[in-house]
Amino acid sequence: MARRALVSGGAGFIGSNLVKFLLAHGVSVCNVDALTYAANLDSLADLGAGDYTFVLADIRDRDAMRELLEQFDPDLVFHLAAESHVDRSIEGPAVFVTTNVLGTFTLLDVARELWTANGRAVDSRRFVHVSTDEVYGSLGDDGLFTETTRYDPSSPYAASKAGADHLAHAYFRTYGLPVIVTNCSNNYGPRQFPEKLIPLMITRALSGEPMPVYGAGNNVRDWLYVDDHCEALWAAAERGTPGRDYNIGGNQERRNIDVVRAICAEVERARPARTNEALAGKQYEELITFVDDRPGHDFRYAIDASRIARELSWEPSETFESGLEKTVRWYLENARWVERATSGEYRDWIDKNYAERLEARDAR
Ligand code: NAD
Ligand code: DAU
């Protein structure tokens, strides 16, 4: 059946990869994005054929969301729009609450208004709320997050996503809105903004700049290649049960310091330090610099993804090593994307063409 998907946050990292994935699967896609600093339209420059529209709007704007859902009339919503960076949430939490909590509320409530009649959900529509494993807080040396692990968020980012998840659950239980919540581990891959660990380290290595590791680098994350996440979101939308949560993870736990060393080794393979003038005779590992730890830094995340494997037949296809090789290659082959992302030039076109509407957004 032909599908119509509204993707919120489709100009961000996972969103832009998901837009490509959906178009490749013959889905008509409408991407709604407010074009914050995390949005990069360069990532959507090569979409090729497919039924795609872009709408500049803020998920907190109820009238805009209502008009969009009415006019585009999607049968699938993939809700990804969010403020997503933990360090920024520590510096300035307010926008995390308005976007992640109120923005999610607005989308859910508009969907309820349009998709339910007499207190019952209509037909085969699905609202996939894309969340994170950070809602569960931190693990010690052992154990895995399951779908029944108690929520215990540490950062303002994680707390705002937890709030959004609670609203999503409530909209299923109270109104029967066909919501599916996914909680995923750390993603990496092409088109990730170089403020997150893996793209930051790759771009810093290539430019010969310090590679800042928080604390002793012993914190552990479970890494998932972004295409595997897109497959999982599709499985959840196509085969998932409304009201059910699905944990998504790569089963690829690594300490941060080991991730950074693996990046040094992979970059060395692809562009040996001796051929990289920016290194001025150094080895990549010499760029590693231990810096102050992140406040409230969760020690370990690890996902038990057995429910989605068992019920929806989803499993990741990349190992950390195969995914990292693809990722490093992408950053090397897309030097112009990297240059525009790191210099801030990627904003020029957006600021020029959307000046008025961005001003209106910022006045909210
Ligand atoms: P990102 O920061 O790269 O992109 C977020 C996008 O949302 C940007 O394009 C931004 O412009 C847009 N946006 C922000 N505020 C908006 C608003 N008010 N209205 C409309 N659009 C807005 O994020 P990402 O890393 O691609 O993450 C996408 C989603 O997946 C988020 O909900 C995040 O919590 C979740 N998630 C991310 C990861 C990860 O490792 N990156 C893991 C699990 C879950
Ligand atoms: O677990 C899923 C989450 O993964 C998502 O919900 C978030 O949106 C996403 O940003 C990510 O959160 P993290 O905080 O785990 O990702 P980040 O890339 O910021 O950091 C990964 C680890 O690396 C973390 O332990 C902190 C550390 N780190 C990070 C940066 C940016 C460093 O040591 N140095 C750095 O410069």
Side-chain angles (χ1 to χ4, degrees):
M1 190 176 75
R3 295 287 220 167
R4 296 170 66 73
L6 179 75
V7 177
S8 75
F13 162 50
I14 302 171
S16 59
N17 284 285
L18 182 66
V19 165
K20 283 174 200 282
F21 175 95
L22 293 171
L23 290 172
H25 283 72
V27 178
S28 298
V29 176
C30 176
N31 169 15
V32 57
D33 199 296
L35 299 181
T36 70
Y37 81 93
N40 189 336
L41 293 179
D42 293 354
S43 299
L44 296 163
D46 56 348
L47 289 182
D51 182 10
Y52 171 76
T53 44
F54 173 72
V55 174
L56 169 58
D58 193 312
I59 56 164
R60 295 167 292 185
D61 181 341
R62 188 182 179 97
D63 292 342
M65 290 308 110
R66 196 176 199 290
E67 193 182 323
L68 188 59
L69 258 78
E70 256 177 344
Q71 286 184 0
F72 184 67
D73 194 25
D75 49 356
L76 303 174
V77 171
F78 291 95
H79 171 40
L80 290 91
E83 290 291 336
S84 72
H85 191 38
V86 172
D87 293 329
R88 285 180 188 257
S89 83
I90 296 167
E91 294 297 317
V95 71
F96 284 74
V97 177
T98 61
T99 288
N100 298 358
V101 184
L102 294 178
T104 300
F105 160 71
T106 305
L107 262 188
L108 286 166
D109 203 51
V110 167
R112 174 192 64 79
E113 207 183 314
L114 298 174
W115 289 6
T116 61
N118 305 320
R120 296 191 45 154
V122 179
D123 62 42
S124 62
R125 297 180 201 254
R126 295 286 180 271
F127 188 116
V128 181
H129 170 64
V130 179
S131 190
T132 168
D133 60 358
E134 299 207 11
V135 297
Y136 300 123
S138 185
L139 290 165
D141 287 326
D142 307 316
L144 300 172
F145 295 133
T146 71
E147 288 82 358
T148 56
T149 301
R150 188 172 69 91
Y151 274 33
D152 187 20
S154 301
S155 69
Y157 161 69
S160 67
K161 292 294 288 189
D165 291 12
H166 289 319
L167 283 165
H169 291 136
Y171 269 66
F172 171 74
R173 289 191 205 161
T174 306
Y175 304 113
L177 191 72
V179 176
I180 291 169
V181 176
T182 60
N183 295 90
C184 189
S185 64
N186 287 63
N187 283 219
Y188 67 103
R191 304 175 195 88
Q192 187 169 27
F193 193 68
E195 66 179 355
K196 306 279 169 70
L197 181 72
I198 288 185
L200 180 76
M201 294 298 161
I202 297 172
T203 53
R204 289 287 182 95
L206 289 171
S207 61
E209 292 173 87
M211 300 167 73
V213 173
Y214 298 165
N218 288 326
N219 302 64
V220 175
R221 296 292 182 266
D222 173 2
W223 293 96
L224 182 71
Y225 191 67
V226 65
D227 286 354
D228 281 328
H229 190 187
C230 293
E231 287 279 2
L233 295 176
W234 183 239
E238 284 282 282
R239 304 190 290 282
T241 304
R244 204 134 171 85
D245 299 339
Y246 297 96
N247 277 0
I248 305 170
N251 199 19
Q252 299 290 308
E253 284 183 56
R254 298 289 185 279
R255 290 188 314 155
N256 290 340
I257 188 64
D258 296 329
V259 168
V260 175
R261 290 198 178 119
I263 290 169
C264 290
E266 198 53 52
V267 174
E268 172 67 27
R269 252 190 297 281
R271 180 171 297 168
R274 66 183 152 68
T275 67
N276 183 346
E277 281 177 16
L279 268 284
K282 282 189 187 159
Q283 295 301 307
Y284 287 114
E285 284 209 10
E286 290 177 64
L287 300 173
I288 297 174
T289 310
F290 293 94
V291 300
D292 286 350
D293 210 349
R294 170 187 280 174
H297 196 175
D298 286 333
F299 172 60
R300 175 171 165 259
Y301 302 147
I303 285 272
D304 174 351
S306 56
R307 175 184 284 179
I308 190 168
R310 197 173 52 247
E311 297 182 11
L312 308 184
S313 306
W314 173 86
E315 285 198 350
S317 51
E318 301 290 348
T319 63
F320 181 68
E321 287 66 33
S322 67
L324 188 64
E325 199 228 307
K326 284 186 180 181
T327 304
V328 167
R329 196 176 341 123
W330 188 87
Y331 280 86
L332 273 165
E333 287 172 358
N334 290 274
R336 186 75 187 125
W337 185 99
V338 171
E339 196 187 311
R340 283 167 57 79
T342 51
S343 68
E345 209 185 318
Y346 76 105
R347 294 297 311 179
D348 290 354
W349 192 90
I350 293 175
D351 292 341
K352 191 163 147 234
N353 288 280
Y354 291 119
E356 259 175 42
R357 277 184 286 166
L358 291 171
E359 264 169 41
R361 180 201 68 192
D362 293 340
R364 291 179 66 81

